[in-house]
Amino acid sequence: QLLSTTGGTVEGDLIYGNDITRWKQLAHSLRLRIALELADRDEDTARRVIASLWDNRNSVIDSNDAIARFVFTSSPQWNPWASAFNSRDDQRVSKTLIDKLNEWNDPRIGILAQLPQDEGVKNYVGAANSLSADAANNQGFNKVSRPGTYFLKDSSPAVFYTYAEVLFIFAESAARGWITADAETLYREAITASLNQFGIIVNRIIDSYLQQEAIRFDAAHWYESIGWQKWIAYYGQGPDAFTDWRRLGYPQLIPGPDSVLGSGELPRRFFYPVTEQSLNGKQYQIAISHQGADEITTRLWFDVANKER
């Protein structure tokens, strides 16, 4: 509420070009995201906040033009992922994602990934997860897909919040019965927003994708429908995808064969740095007394085990 659209100007805004209205939309959209993360801990608060924002939908990010993103320029202010590929070339797209994109004939596949460098491989191929370095080398880096060139340009944007995410949140809220709206319609609109965001704008292609049986909204298993599509839409937003996967439990990911964790275990958080223990030991102990052991398999507050779906 302290952001005012009158009585002064803003300079040097590299996200929204000094547009305060857009910043207010982002602030409300962050409330929307946080409210959803409360869902399995404090449903009443989540419902109340999201319903109020649904009733004022123009107050949140309302189009792909309003996406919160930072557009990089040339070196040294270039996209760090592009910069990394200048010195190393050992990052490949996950087999889990590529297999699903291939299965669904997803038109985003050519944006999210490249065809393998080995000219003998004619399809997109993902790298198996959690392989040792030797096993990964044996698979052959030139036979699996690199990230799409869309993400490897010097000026490729860092995306913080999208219109598709807003629509997915409202779709889930409708499925949960928190707002009076059609969950399937919002789900389709969310997928369309993601497709548009990645340059898929031809209606015939979009309609063909949405009409596939595997893509259609399953009201009885909304968490799976939304979980998969939101996870794909988050490509390039790793931390956000990680948070939502833990919250929803979908897509159901399978640990790789070389995982050092227990059977069926996946990481659920990051360790605190060693300096946190040495420089802030008292608060470190208080934190782990509330959240549990400082292990990568410890669930955080929003990551509720045995969710009732």
Side-chain angles (χ1 to χ4, degrees):
Q1 293 181 354
L2 295 177
L3 292 173
S4 174
T5 56
T6 60
T9 59
V10 176
E11 296 182 359
D13 173 13
L14 300 179
I15 304 294
Y16 282 129
N18 309 328
D19 188 337
I20 294 297
T21 298
R22 293 300 194 202
W23 277 105
K24 290 171 76 72
Q25 287 183 317
L26 175 59
H28 286 299
S29 298
L30 288 169
R31 288 186 68 224
L32 191 67
R33 177 190 285 176
I34 293 168
L36 189 65
E37 290 175 2
L38 291 172
D40 293 318
R41 288 294 185 189
D42 187 352
E43 183 174 342
D44 288 343
T45 298
R47 179 197 300 263
R48 175 175 51 79
V49 172
I50 292 174
S52 69
L53 290 167
W54 171 252
D55 290 338
N56 296 278
R57 292 187 288 286
N58 63 338
S59 71
V60 298
I61 291 173
D62 57 359
S63 70
N64 279 334
D65 291 336
I67 287 176
R69 58 187 165 192
F70 178 84
V71 179
F72 292 91
T73 56
S74 57
S75 176
Q77 289 82 34
W78 57 356
N79 179 292
W81 205 4
S83 172
F85 262 89
N86 273 349
S87 58
R88 55 185 293 179
D89 188 16
D90 59 354
Q91 298 181 54
R92 296 295 184 267
V93 185
S94 166
K95 183 177 188 299
T96 304
L97 176 62
I98 292 294
D99 285 355
K100 188 59 68 174
L101 295 176
N102 278 327
E103 176 187 343
W104 287 346
N105 298 308
D106 195 304
R108 288 168 289 192
I109 194 168
I111 309 298
L112 308 186
Q114 302 177 52
L115 287 170
Q117 293 166 299
D118 186 328
E119 294 182 358
V121 182
K122 304 301 182 183
N123 298 310
Y124 296 94
V125 180
N129 296 81
S130 187
L131 293 180
S132 65
D134 289 340
N137 285 328
N138 289 336
Q139 185 181 8
F141 279 147
N142 66 334
K143 295 181 182 295
V144 290
S145 293
R146 304 166 86 224
T149 56
Y150 175 93
F151 298 91
L152 300 181
K153 298 175 183 176
D154 290 355
S155 59
S156 295
V159 176
F160 308 117
Y161 207 126
T162 67
Y163 179 44
E165 180 180 351
V166 167
L167 291 169
F168 277 122
I169 291 174
F170 283 140
E172 179 174 339
S173 301
R176 287 176 177 263
W178 295 349
I179 61 175
T180 303
D182 183 65
E184 180 175 6
T185 297
L186 288 164
Y187 166 81
R188 290 169 62 89
E189 289 176 354
I191 296 173
T192 300
S194 175
L195 292 169
N196 291 167
Q197 177 188 336
F198 290 117
I200 311 299
I201 60 175
V202 178
N203 289 335
R204 173 181 52 80
I205 295 175
I206 295 171
D207 290 342
S208 176
Y209 181 68
L210 292 173
Q211 288 170 8
Q212 293 182 83
E213 185 64 33
I215 305 302
R216 290 177 184 170
F217 185 70
D218 184 346
H221 300 90
W222 58 263
Y223 40 85
E224 185 167 3
S225 295
I226 292 174
W228 263 110
Q229 284 294 335
K230 197 175 180 185
W231 189 68
I232 294 172
Y234 267 141
Y235 191 95
Q237 295 175 255
D240 298 319
F242 184 39
T243 296
D244 227 52
W245 165 74
R246 289 175 289 171
R247 183 187 63 80
L248 268 182
Y250 281 86
Q252 292 183 310
L253 304 178
I254 300 172
D258 293 332
S259 173
V260 298
L261 302 178
S263 176
E265 289 278 8
L266 288 165
R268 308 198 80 87
R269 62 180 290 275
F270 294 112
F271 292 116
Y272 287 114
V274 174
T275 52
E276 194 67 30
Q277 301 178 45
S278 60
L279 300 177
N280 195 23
K282 182 178 179 180
Q283 296 305 317
Y284 169 81
Q285 293 297 333
I286 292 173
I288 63 174
S289 71
H290 286 292
Q291 72 178 37
D294 187 11
E295 302 288 346
I296 62 174
T297 53
T298 296
R299 292 174 180 264
L300 297 185
W301 61 271
F302 61 87
D303 182 6
V304 178
N306 303 317
K307 304 174 180 71
E308 293 184 9
R309 299 290 189 214

